[in-house]
Amino acid sequence: MTDTTPPLDGIAWAMQRGNGALADKMGFRWVELTIERAVATMPVEGNTQPVGLFHGGGYVVLGESLGSMSANLYAGPGRLAVGVDINATHTRSATSGLVTGVCTPIHLGRSMTVHEIVLSDDQGRRCSTVRITNMIKNLPAR
């Protein structure tokens, strides 16, 4: 049986694991990381469309980073969560400051997780809602 006990400090675990080159380039920053809730930010500056709006793909990068890392924290040692579906609905555009993502689980199963990520601007207005499904796989023994 695989040990699925999560690390005590989710952010330290994430920093050791790394955010990935894309999230790092886009300015992804952790605020909180537990199995029940994950929060991170990304700056609008440097992640805009030509007209100055936060890029829709930026919402998806922030959402997928939060959902995937949350699923991997839940999966625990010896297992890997990989994304199999993601969707996003953009309802507002951030134009300055930070976009904050709050990720919460909808389903935490043995082989699949589903997370909802609400992405808001500095005024707390919802800009996008992302849902990601991850499949959990056992890593091969070394």
Side-chain angles (χ1 to χ4, degrees):
M1 174 124 176
T2 304
D3 177 18
T4 59
T5 305
L8 294 176
D9 183 346
I11 293 178
W13 169 83
M15 298 306 293
Q16 180 181 22
R17 182 184 176 115
N19 296 325
L22 179 59
D24 285 343
K25 284 182 185 179
M26 294 185 74
F28 180 97
R29 296 288 178 262
W30 285 106
V31 175
E32 177 182 343
L33 178 57
T34 68
I35 290 173
E36 296 82 23
R37 178 179 147 102
V39 181
T41 63
M42 189 177 286
V44 172
E45 185 176 341
N47 295 313
T48 59
Q49 303 172 353
V51 296
L53 305 175
F54 190 72
H55 197 288
Y59 292 119
V60 177
V61 169
L62 182 52
E64 182 158 4
S65 297
L66 278 161
S68 294
M69 290 295 277
S70 294
N72 275 287
L73 181 66
Y74 169 74
R79 301 196 307 165
L80 177 68
V82 294
V84 295
D85 183 66
I86 191 165
N87 66 67
T89 302
H90 310 311
T91 51
R92 178 180 296 276
S93 298
T95 56
S96 64
L98 294 173
V99 173
T100 299
V102 177
C103 174
T104 55
I106 295 171
H107 173 76
L108 296 174
R110 208 168 18 96
S111 61
M112 180 180 18
T113 64
V114 180
H115 287 85
E116 177 183 65
I117 303 93
V118 174
L119 303 147
S120 304
D121 64 12
D122 279 341
Q123 290 74 47
R125 300 175 297 191
R126 185 184 295 226
C127 295
S128 186
T129 305
V130 174
R131 191 189 77 216
I132 184 169
T133 303
N134 284 280
M135 180 178 64
I136 299 175
K137 302 168 47 164
N138 289 325
L139 292 173
R142 291 184 183 201

